[in-house]
Amino acid sequence: MIITNNLHKSFGELHVLKGVSEHIEKGEKIVVIGPSGSGKSTFLRCLNLLEVPTQGDIIIEGESITDPKANINKIRQKMGMVFQQFNLFPHLSVLDNIILAPMKIKKIKKDEAVAIAEDLLKKVGLFDKIDSFPGKLSGGQKQRIAIARSLAMSPDIMLFDEPTSALDPEMVGEVLNVMKELADSGMTMVVVTHEMNFAREVGSRLFFMDDGVIAEQGVPAEVFENPQNDRTKEFLRRVQ
Amino acid sequence: MNISQSLGLMVQEFSHSFYLNFIKDDRYMQMVKGLGNTLLISVLAILLGVTFGALAFLLRNSFFLDNSRFKILRGLGKVLKGIGYVYVDVIRATPMVTQLLIIYFVIFASVNINAIFVAVLAFGFNSGAYVSEIFRAGIQSIDNGQMEAGRSLGLSKIQTMAYIIVPQAIKNILPTLANEFIVLIKETAVVGYISVQDLTRGADIIRSLTFEPFLPLVAAAVVYYIIIKFLTLAIAAFERRLRASDDR
């Protein structure tokens, strides 16, 4: 479903990704952990071309997105993305945040889009906030709305870039619960996270990234119990 | 001479001076005519300035060409950016009066053209450079995460601009833009250099007739003050409304 082939990314002199080659299958829940600066966010952002790789290919559902002829807007519709800073649109109500993309891109009629939004808001437990503006919501609520907004485009893949890192501790749980439900529904997910318990419980495969490469990978529980790589051992010792 | 006598004398002097400067031969009409031209040039130059500003902004952000598949279009984008940059740079680094004189005496030297039209063009061209900077600052003030969120949903860059970035940027742009209008109105006082009779020149004509500088020049200043004060209050009320909508 997602294939990356020798992915490299440099920001000027800084070589952040140093060759990532991976296959991610439909329905997998990939959790990506690693020290800051290891390239995990850059890897994720390359997958929907928010960062353009300096070298290598990315193939999504059989289509090369690194090909200059690729229609990136079309491909991005199949991939939702949730950001650390939520990035809700502050000038729009919760409802308008959710229905904007389906209406403008998929040309879905308003009443239909509203029905989708209401359904999603019930799923994330925020139906009562439908007419609120983002400024009036807590961090956890914002992030759940952001997830609903992405899901409104009915994507095949969901990317999460440290979705709980900007949240107060008491709000982390509500967001992780929504993500767990999403995982249970069979969504293909790639999650960059510092939540080790979430990684262990929900991840079907774990990537440990360090210095621009996937230094170790495997079933999360196994990697946590029995890390092979010295750098993985060192990292896990520090975070646990 | 007691106080009431000297007061009476002052009133008498003032009313004579007032008569001489404004009433006699309908001299106040010099200023009325001048005010008309000041307002005409200001309003048209503001409209032209916003147009030039928007064009310069688009030139400097020829983003629709950045990711073009064709090298020649990407090259064109660079050239357009260069033009926009030079325009803003040159206009902002040279005095308004100099620009006005160059446009009137150099560019339109060999054509017989209405000086008011030249003034509108000069002030509009000048203001456009500042307006484009105001647009740029307004757009840049929007967090890049907004663009990323829009793009990640599948919206194109132009759609994201239209539905997400610009509606938010307008709130930052409008108050600054209104201030630019105020600056522009005051700047028009130099059109006398190309013999257009504006409010200032009208007052100065009266001065040259009566040899009394005080009343006509102060009267002109008062009229400017009233116009600007009125605008400032209107902008303040407008900003309060914008801020109120932020709290929802």
Side-chain angles (χ1 to χ4, degrees), chain B residues 20-220:
Chain B
L20 193 69
N21 279 296
F22 299 125
I23 311 296
K24 192 178 174 216
D25 299 336
D26 280 347
R27 282 178 183 153
Y28 75 97
M29 280 309 292
Q30 301 285 1
M31 286 181 67
V32 172
K33 185 183 165 205
L35 176 62
N37 281 337
T38 291
L39 294 177
L40 178 71
I41 293 170
S42 298
V43 169
L44 292 181
I46 283 164
L47 296 176
L48 197 63
V50 171
T51 313
F52 276 132
L55 283 174
F57 173 76
L58 286 177
L59 283 182
R60 295 186 72 186
N61 301 276
S62 309
F63 46 75
F64 46 92
L65 295 173
D66 277 356
N67 301 318
S68 170
R69 246 173 269 167
F70 305 103
K71 202 174 171 188
I72 185 146
L73 285 182
R74 289 200 299 273
L76 179 68
K78 281 208 182 87
V79 172
L80 293 179
K81 268 183 203 175
I83 294 173
Y85 174 80
V86 169
Y87 163 57
V88 172
D89 192 50
V90 168
I91 291 293
R92 295 207 308 166
T94 54
M96 178 65 236
V97 183
T98 317
Q99 293 164 20
L100 180 71
L101 292 175
I102 288 176
I103 291 179
Y104 187 67
F105 289 111
V106 180
I107 296 176
F108 290 111
S110 54
V111 242
N112 186 12
I113 200 162
N114 185 332
I116 289 182
F117 173 80
V118 174
V120 168
L121 202 65
F123 287 107
F125 197 64
N126 175 275
S127 184
Y130 293 92
V131 170
S132 92
E133 283 294 282
I134 291 168
F135 285 171
R136 189 180 59 81
I139 298 286
Q140 269 180 2
S141 69
I142 305 302
D143 181 60
N144 192 39
Q146 295 288 307
M147 177 56 86
E148 291 191 343
R151 298 306 306 277
S152 78
L153 287 166
L155 294 164
S156 71
K157 198 161 185 172
I158 290 171
Q159 283 176 316
T160 311
M161 273 295 199
Y163 301 125
I164 295 162
I165 308 292
V166 171
Q168 295 181 60
I170 280 179
K171 281 192 185 182
N172 301 332
I173 288 172
L174 283 179
T176 335
L177 199 58
N179 280 320
E180 164 62 18
F181 296 163
I182 288 178
V183 171
L184 177 62
I185 291 169
K186 289 187 291 182
E187 288 246 278
T188 59
V190 301
V191 289
Y193 273 91
I194 59 169
S195 308
V196 172
Q197 184 177 341
D198 71 324
L199 181 58
T200 300
R201 179 46 75 93
D204 205 43
I205 288 172
I206 298 175
R207 181 192 60 80
S208 67
L209 292 172
T210 62
F211 301 108
E212 283 190 15
F214 182 79
L215 266 188
L217 293 180
V218 169

Side-chain angles (χ1 to χ4, degrees), chain A residues 31-33 40-41 44 82-86 139-144 146-147 159-180 189-199 202:
Chain A
V31 286
V32 186
I33 64 169
K40 50 193 195 304
S41 276
L44 190 80
V82 175
F83 299 87
Q84 184 177 350
Q85 296 297 338
F86 330 124
Q141 291 171 333
K142 282 184 196 168
Q143 196 60 298
R144 286 188 277 158
I147 293 171
L159 309 175
F160 293 85
D161 189 4
E162 303 194 24
T164 58
S165 296
L167 296 177
D168 289 339
E170 75 267 26
M171 294 171 182
V172 170
E174 61 189 73
V175 171
L176 291 182
N177 282 337
V178 168
M179 290 170 64
K180 270 180 209 160
M189 292 163 68
V190 183
V191 185
V192 172
T193 186
H194 293 294
E195 294 294 326
M196 295 304 151
N197 288 330
F198 175 84
V202 179

Side-chain angles (χ1 to χ4, degrees), chain A residues 69-187:
Chain A
K69 290 195 196 78
N71 182 347
I72 185 59
N73 296 331
K74 197 90 192 158
I75 295 159
R76 281 187 179 133
Q77 292 167 28
K78 292 189 276 186
M79 313 174 76
M81 178 141 186
V82 175
F83 299 87
Q84 184 177 350
Q85 296 297 338
F86 330 124
N87 295 343
L88 291 182
F89 308 133
H91 63 303
L92 298 178
S93 70
V94 164
L95 177 68
D96 288 335
N97 262 274
I98 298 174
I99 66 176
L100 176 77
M103 284 178 61
K104 297 300 178 192
I105 301 170
K106 291 188 166 174
K107 310 288 178 201
I108 291 177
K109 286 202 196 73
K110 179 153 189 188
D111 48 353
E112 227 174 296
V114 170
I116 294 171
E118 286 175 348
D119 194 42
L120 285 167
L121 283 172
K122 280 174 195 155
K123 274 194 185 132
V124 300
L126 289 171
F127 183 64
D128 57 325
K129 300 290 182 192
I130 190 160
D131 292 320
S132 301
F133 278 80
K136 297 282 187 209
L137 302 175
S138 73
Q141 291 171 333
K142 282 184 196 168
Q143 196 60 298
R144 286 188 277 158
I145 300 293
I147 293 171
R149 180 177 70 179
S150 290
L151 291 175
M153 288 296 288
S154 30
D156 299 338
I157 302 163
M158 284 288 285
L159 309 175
F160 293 85
D161 189 4
E162 303 194 24
T164 58
S165 296
L167 296 177
D168 289 339
E170 75 267 26
M171 294 171 182
V172 170
E174 61 189 73
V175 171
L176 291 182
N177 282 337
V178 168
M179 290 170 64
K180 270 180 209 160
E181 277 171 35
L182 190 60
D184 291 341
S185 75
M187 177 66 74

Side-chain angles (χ1 to χ4, degrees), chain A residues 33-46:
Chain A
I33 64 169
S36 66
S38 60
K40 50 193 195 304
S41 276
T42 305
F43 169 67
L44 190 80
R45 288 161 59 81
C46 278

